[in-house]
Amino acid sequence: MMLLACQYSYAQILETSHKVDTLTLVQRTTLRTNVFNWLIGIPNIGVEFDINNKNWNRWSVGAEVKYRPAGKNTYAQPVVYNYFEARLEGRTYWRERQVQASGYLGRHKHWLDKIFSCRVKNPSHPKTVFYRGGYVSYSNYSLLFLANAAGRQGQAIQAGFTWGFVNQLYQFRDNTSLDFELGISAGPAVVKYNEFTYDEDNACYPAGKSVNWKPELYPVINDVHVSLVYRIGDYPLTKKYRWRYDVDLEFMARMDSLYQKRENDHLNKLFRDSVYEAAARDYKNLYDSLFDVHQKLYQESIDAMAPQRDTLSSSKNSADETAIMSKEALNSKKKQKKQQKNKKGNAARKENAEALETTTNEEGGEQ
């Protein structure tokens, strides 16, 4: 590191050319180490590799190893500080981008989008590269810092979200560069551990309770990034992670063409909708006027037919009354005939009964 610092460094100049560069494997590779972890006594080293070989690529994958080996001691010590962690990470980088309120890339409007949005009215950090991503890690540890407290020996698996930013510090004569990174990683964790304490009298570690793969209740901070990043290729941060629209002229033309087509389609749709709406409004007005005229004519015809309807109604009523009277007369006549028939039948039955009684009396006299 001192050897690198002794070399000549150039001023940081932001790349603005419209040119697509193809990067080599070395230019896509960076090495990093977390200064904060060194300060707390954990040696570490990491490597990162850009996924695409173009200068507009903004995606990368990385790996990091932290290792503090166990000390070789004849007797049990009151402080135990052994730590190992392997970590995989994926990132997407972006720069603040000056955009208008509308256009191919308009500014975000939702408050949640604005938190992580790179589309701003006036960029306040044009030379800063921001990143966000996810990580997964596995750690194996034995930790005891206070003699009268319980320590833990176990394992942890964690996954979560990482966020931060990177600034270039130095660009050296051979075009390699040194960057400074600041960020944080946090997320849920699942732990498995055994508690132990330090027994000074017997110089041993009595075991305590045991926990078998238990999720933590709250998100756990996995790492605080205060890192130095060394780009081993001759392609500095100021040229990388640019917007493809600003670099690739063909892509710019294609995107502008698509945007213009969408705008034209939108305007045509608005025109069609306005024409259809006007036609529908005129048709509705014409239909309503014709309907009103039809209703008026219909009402006038109904009113004109009212006298005839009254005459027909009276005629019908008189005819109904005549029919009812005729029906009543016919029923009365049928009733009279039925009464006469009943009278004749009663008279005949009476005569038969008298004749039968007379015959009976005569036969009784003869005897």
Side-chain angles (χ1 to χ4, degrees), residues 332-348:
S332 177
K333 188 174 181 180
K334 288 182 178 180
K335 186 175 181 181
Q336 290 177 0
K337 288 182 178 180
K338 185 175 181 180
Q339 289 177 352
Q340 291 176 0
K341 185 176 179 180
N342 290 336
K343 286 181 180 181
K344 290 181 180 181
N346 292 334

Side-chain angles (χ1 to χ4, degrees), residues 299-312:
Q299 188 63 38
E300 290 177 355
S301 63
I302 293 298
D303 295 340
M305 294 174 61
Q308 299 179 4
R309 187 173 62 252
D310 295 339
T311 302
L312 292 174

Side-chain angles (χ1 to χ4, degrees), residues 148-351:
N148 57 352
R152 287 187 178 184
Q153 180 181 30
Q155 306 168 59
I157 298 176
Q158 188 176 5
F161 180 79
T162 183
W163 183 92
F165 62 88
V166 185
N167 267 324
Q168 180 175 304
L169 290 180
Y170 298 103
Q171 182 176 346
F172 303 104
R173 184 173 300 174
D174 58 356
N175 286 330
T176 60
S177 58
L178 184 67
D179 304 336
F180 174 75
E181 175 187 332
L182 188 64
I184 190 171
S185 299
V190 180
V191 297
K192 173 185 178 182
Y193 62 86
N194 297 314
E195 290 189 350
F196 64 94
T197 56
Y198 173 64
D199 186 351
E200 184 178 2
D201 296 334
N202 298 313
C204 64
Y205 301 108
K209 71 173 183 179
S210 177
V211 174
N212 187 22
W213 294 119
K214 173 186 175 183
E216 295 290 347
L217 297 178
Y218 304 101
V220 178
I221 295 177
N222 176 267
D223 199 6
V224 176
H225 310 301
V226 184
S227 304
L228 294 176
V229 181
Y230 178 60
R231 302 190 180 277
I232 60 179
D234 56 349
Y235 208 86
L237 179 68
T238 53
K239 294 184 178 182
K240 300 181 72 173
Y241 310 128
R242 299 183 59 196
W243 292 97
R244 185 175 182 181
Y245 183 84
D246 299 334
V247 176
D248 191 342
L249 295 179
E250 293 182 0
F251 180 80
M252 179 191 298
R254 186 163 65 251
M255 291 297 102
D256 288 342
S257 176
L258 292 175
Y259 171 73
Q260 191 62 42
K261 183 178 183 302
R262 286 197 299 266
E263 285 295 304
N264 292 336
D265 292 343
H266 179 66
L267 293 176
N268 291 334
K269 184 177 183 301
L270 291 178
F271 177 74
R272 288 195 302 270
D273 292 344
S274 62
V275 171
Y276 292 158
E277 183 178 357
R281 183 171 59 251
D282 295 341
Y283 174 79
K284 183 178 183 301
N285 294 334
L286 178 61
Y287 177 82
D288 291 342
S289 61
L290 291 176
F291 182 77
D292 293 339
V293 171
H294 174 75
Q295 287 290 98
K296 186 176 180 180
L297 294 175
Y298 177 75
Q299 188 63 38
E300 290 177 355
S301 63
I302 293 298
D303 295 340
M305 294 174 61
Q308 299 179 4
R309 187 173 62 252
D310 295 339
T311 302
L312 292 174
S313 177
S314 60
S315 301
K316 182 179 179 181
N317 291 335
S318 60
D320 292 341
E321 291 177 356
T322 303
I324 291 172
M325 292 177 63
S326 301
K327 185 176 182 180
E328 290 179 350
L330 180 62
N331 292 335
S332 177
K333 188 174 181 180
K334 288 182 178 180
K335 186 175 181 181
Q336 290 177 0
K337 288 182 178 180
K338 185 175 181 180
Q339 289 177 352
Q340 291 176 0
K341 185 176 179 180
N342 290 336
K343 286 181 180 181
K344 290 181 180 181
N346 292 334
R349 284 194 296 274
K350 186 175 180 182
E351 290 178 359

Side-chain angles (χ1 to χ4, degrees), residues 68-219:
R68 179 184 172 90
K72 297 181 179 180
N73 300 305
T74 305
Y75 302 101
Q77 300 296 315
V79 175
V80 179
Y81 192 12
N82 307 325
Y83 190 82
F84 168 80
E85 180 181 348
R87 168 188 170 108
L88 295 177
E89 187 178 72
R91 293 183 180 182
T92 175
Y93 289 89
W94 82 91
R95 300 176 184 272
E96 287 183 332
R97 179 186 181 88
Q98 184 176 12
V99 297
Q100 303 299 323
S102 60
Y104 165 63
L105 286 177
R107 291 195 296 271
H108 287 113
K109 299 179 180 180
H110 194 273
W111 67 269
L112 186 59
D113 294 330
K114 289 182 179 180
I115 295 177
F116 300 103
S117 178
C118 55
R119 307 174 191 178
V120 296
K121 183 177 181 180
N122 296 310
S124 55
H125 305 284
K127 298 179 181 180
T128 301
V129 178
F130 298 87
Y131 69 84
R132 61 183 172 221
Y135 71 93
V136 59
S137 67
Y138 167 79
S139 58
N140 193 317
Y141 55 89
S142 296
L143 305 174
L144 174 64
F145 298 108
L146 299 176
N148 57 352
R152 287 187 178 184
Q153 180 181 30
Q155 306 168 59
I157 298 176
Q158 188 176 5
F161 180 79
T162 183
W163 183 92
F165 62 88
V166 185
N167 267 324
Q168 180 175 304
L169 290 180
Y170 298 103
Q171 182 176 346
F172 303 104
R173 184 173 300 174
D174 58 356
N175 286 330
T176 60
S177 58
L178 184 67
D179 304 336
F180 174 75
E181 175 187 332
L182 188 64
I184 190 171
S185 299
V190 180
V191 297
K192 173 185 178 182
Y193 62 86
N194 297 314
E195 290 189 350
F196 64 94
T197 56
Y198 173 64
D199 186 351
E200 184 178 2
D201 296 334
N202 298 313
C204 64
Y205 301 108
K209 71 173 183 179
S210 177
V211 174
N212 187 22
W213 294 119
K214 173 186 175 183
E216 295 290 347
L217 297 178
Y218 304 101

